[in-house]
Amino acid sequence: MKSISRRALSLYALILLFLAGSALLYFNLVTNANDWAMNRANKHLYSNGALSTAGDILDADGNVLVSTKDGKRVYSSSKNLRMALLHTLGDTSGYIANGIQTVFKDELTGYTLLDGVYNLKRYGKGNDITLTLNSKVCETAYKALGERKGTVGVMNYKTGEIICIASTPTFDINDKPNDIDTDTTGKYEGIYINRFFSGVYTPGSTFKVLTAICAIENIPDIYDRTFECKGKVSVGEGYVICSGTHGKIGFEKALNKSCNCAFAKIAEELGAEKLMATAERIGFNQNMADISGKIHCAKSRIDLTQSSALDIGWAGIGQYTTLINPCHMLTVMAAIANGGTAPTPYLINTITSPKGKTVFAAKQSVIGEYFTPDVAEKTDEMLRSNVKNQYGDGFFPQMNFCGKTGTAEVSNDKNIKPNALFVGYSQLEEMPFAVIVVVEDTTTSITSAVPIASKVMKTVKSEYVNK
Ligand SMILES: [Zn+2]
């Protein structure tokens, strides 16, 4: 539960920052009381400290998600959609630090350093922001998560457009629960956090994809190797336990079966330096560029510098101190699907002035080559084999789906249940989408994370392929 308490801590830090920011604003207003125009303009922008007059936010199809009517922010009439989009849109008081209404406040109010709030006074509103999101997919993801805590993200792996974000727990912005701050049951844990951007998780077996990639890059005869799984295997001065007894097993089958014995031995052979080199080349231990220039992502972390051979064995199966951020991990999957090149993820399509002029239009770009095309192709074949031979194409009918599950133990305490993960994508040319699902405190990934990915990708298919 380390990652959760860390999230809680960062939440408090954010609230403190917000309060400090409010105090600063108040101080500035009081000391600059002569500047009556700005003062009045601020009253116009904020009602009881909340953003009240601002432009619309729309989804990729032009549906209005939030707008201003009679000095109040008005959200979608669908409760499910309001619940689904809470963290992405954010609130008007800045509790949700990464929300569009918080980080793009200046754009929405049309405030510029040069003109102040000129546009607002003249047009009564600021700029409109059109997102890359598909509302239907977001709603499906939220409903599929339901009462469970977790996150879902979907990205177009050719363009980098983020078409779906869901983060739970959430609440209805039109009916915020009164007991959020007093609750002691934990049901609201991290409720202000957008887990997709700000969360970090133990990867569990999803990390075997990266161990496999490192092996393809560094062990020339990896496909000719066989591994012995008797349910546990000695690594360094201890043992790594497997979830099954897989007997003699080759490289691809070992990934299909998610054999801990095979992957712990592969990691031990690779060693700390090679594993860290692969991970750091694809963005671990670095800040991703802020999404659409302003939305900050938590860092994926790996540190094997002081690790024993046994630690490295556990790291190779995703059960060490390594942590992944969902948005970053989704970008890694996108790179595998996209022939090795990682697209730059983005969430804002356009910003339009009150006069209807496009003042910003997203340009697609790439982060760089995470893998060579050859390594990407080999990994792609193994991930396809996982779905075809292990999880079953029935979850993703006619989608040529690729993926990897992970069930991450987060505590030695038997009362604390694991997190379940799934990462994957469709190989179909007309459906270039990658998905990540994280479900906290649950059962196995095949019974929790995969069915959620299945529902979400079926909606993606009906929205983009069968439309
Ligand atoms: Zn095994």
Side-chain angles (χ1 to χ4, degrees):
M1 297 269 86
K2 236 187 272 169
S3 59
I4 288 194
S5 51
R6 196 168 300 158
R7 273 202 303 274
L9 270 180
S10 55
L11 168 66
Y12 292 132
L14 287 171
I15 291 173
L16 276 176
L17 265 176
F18 170 70
L19 290 176
S22 306
L24 198 66
L25 177 69
Y26 181 72
F27 178 75
N28 280 336
L29 280 177
V30 171
T31 53
N32 299 316
N34 289 344
D35 190 354
W36 60 271
M38 190 58 200
N39 214 338
R40 204 172 61 167
N42 269 318
K43 272 186 202 144
H44 199 58
L45 286 174
Y46 297 94
S47 145
N48 296 326
L51 185 77
S52 58
T53 305
D56 300 350
I57 302 178
L58 306 98
D59 72 4
D61 295 317
N63 302 307
V64 177
L65 306 173
V66 54
S67 61
T68 291
K69 282 195 186 90
D70 305 323
K72 275 205 181 108
R73 291 301 263 170
V74 179
Y75 296 82
S76 163
S77 58
S78 154
K79 184 183 173 185
N80 279 331
L81 195 54
R82 293 195 300 271
M83 302 281 280
L85 296 176
L86 173 77
H87 298 92
T88 305
L89 298 179
D91 57 345
T92 50
S93 310
Y95 279 106
I96 296 159
N98 257 343
I100 297 283
Q101 298 192 86
T102 304
V103 289
F104 288 91
K105 194 166 63 190
D106 285 355
E107 289 79 0
L108 284 168
T109 57
Y111 175 82
T112 65
L113 210 55
L114 196 65
D115 297 331
V117 288
Y118 168 81
N119 278 331
L120 185 72
K121 281 190 275 186
R122 173 147 181 208
Y123 300 105
K125 64 183 274 192
N127 302 306
D128 294 339
I129 294 182
T130 301
L131 306 177
T132 53
L133 290 184
N134 180 301
S135 294
K136 283 213 184 92
V137 182
C138 295
E139 204 175 322
T140 302
Y142 157 65
K143 285 202 290 199
L145 278 165
E147 295 295 307
R148 293 169 290 185
K149 297 190 182 86
T151 185
V152 176
V154 181
M155 187 192 296
N156 181 319
Y157 57 72
K158 286 185 180 162
T159 65
E161 288 159 286
I162 299 169
I163 65 155
C164 165
I165 301 169
S167 179
T168 51
T170 181
F171 61 86
D172 182 359
I173 194 145
N174 286 353
D175 187 19
K176 186 176 169 180
N178 296 318
D179 59 338
I180 287 183
D181 299 324
T182 52
D183 176 74
T184 53
T185 66
K187 65 178 172 178
Y188 298 132
E189 198 169 37
I191 196 164
Y192 295 123
I193 297 285
N194 186 338
R195 284 160 153 79
F196 178 69
F197 290 128
S198 307
V200 285
Y201 292 96
T202 299
S205 295
T206 60
F207 194 83
K208 285 175 186 150
V209 178
L210 304 185
T211 305
I213 286 172
C214 189
I216 294 168
E217 289 173 343
N218 292 289
I219 304 175
D221 65 341
I222 188 68
Y223 286 95
D224 303 326
R225 298 283 188 88
T226 47
F227 305 89
E228 177 89 42
C229 172
K230 293 176 176 163
K232 69 175 190 176
V233 72
S234 107
V235 182
E237 65 284 20
Y239 288 92
V240 168
I241 314 292
C242 193
S243 57
T245 307
H246 297 114
K248 276 204 169 21
I249 195 166
F251 184 47
E252 182 179 305
K253 258 282 169 293
L255 191 68
N256 287 172
K257 301 278 176 202
S258 205
C259 177
N260 289 347
C261 294
F263 275 87
K265 290 311 274 186
I266 292 170
E268 185 188 27
E269 179 175 340
L270 286 166
E273 216 168 287
K274 288 194 175 100
L275 277 169
M276 279 197 61
T278 296
E280 290 190 334
R281 190 188 69 228
I282 62 170
F284 279 74
N285 298 339
Q286 301 161 37
N287 282 315
M288 278 230 280
D290 287 349
I291 308 299
S292 291
K294 292 201 175 185
I295 301 167
H296 187 66
C297 269
K299 212 190 281 185
S300 293
R301 295 186 203 101
I302 185 166
D303 182 7
L304 306 178
T305 50
Q306 307 291 319
S307 306
S308 68
L310 182 60
D311 292 338
I312 293 166
W314 284 110
I317 62 167
Q319 286 294 162
Y320 186 51
T321 57
T322 308
L323 293 170
I324 52 141
N325 165 259
C327 183
H328 172 242
M329 192 62 172
L330 184 58
T331 309
V332 172
M333 293 313 290
I336 297 167
N338 193 37
T341 302
T344 307
Y346 67 99
L347 183 60
I348 307 269
N349 240 333
T350 55
I351 301 179
T352 313
S353 79
K355 283 191 279 185
K357 199 177 135 201
T358 304
V359 293
F360 168 84
K363 284 191 195 78
Q364 288 160 14
S365 66
V366 299
I367 299 175
E369 189 176 81
Y370 274 2
F371 317 107
T372 64
D374 177 57
V375 169
E377 193 186 324
K378 286 183 170 134
T379 311
D380 174 77
E381 278 165 17
M382 294 193 38
L383 296 179
R384 176 72 190 112
S385 167
N386 284 345
V387 176
K388 204 165 147 182
N389 301 319
Q390 191 66 27
Y391 319 138
D393 275 334
F395 283 113
F396 308 100
Q398 278 105 46
M399 294 188 209
N400 283 17
F401 224 74
C402 307
K404 182 73 193 83
T405 54
T407 305
E409 302 295 338
V410 290
S411 170
N412 292 328
D413 182 345
K414 288 235 159 23
N415 294 317
I416 295 175
K417 290 189 277 181
N419 292 342
L421 296 90
F422 179 75
V423 288
Y425 57 87
S426 163
Q427 289 177 331
L428 298 185
E429 190 74 19
E430 65 274 27
M431 193 181 159
F433 295 101
V435 63
I436 183 163
V437 175
V438 185
V439 189
E440 297 168 22
D441 193 19
T442 183
T443 52
T444 63
S445 45
I446 198 77
T447 54
S448 58
V450 178
I452 291 174
S454 166
K455 281 181 192 161
V456 170
M457 295 317 285
K458 281 174 185 165
T459 303
V460 169
K461 196 174 181 215
S462 72
E463 282 291 294
Y464 293 86
V465 183
N466 302 334
K467 215 171 184 175

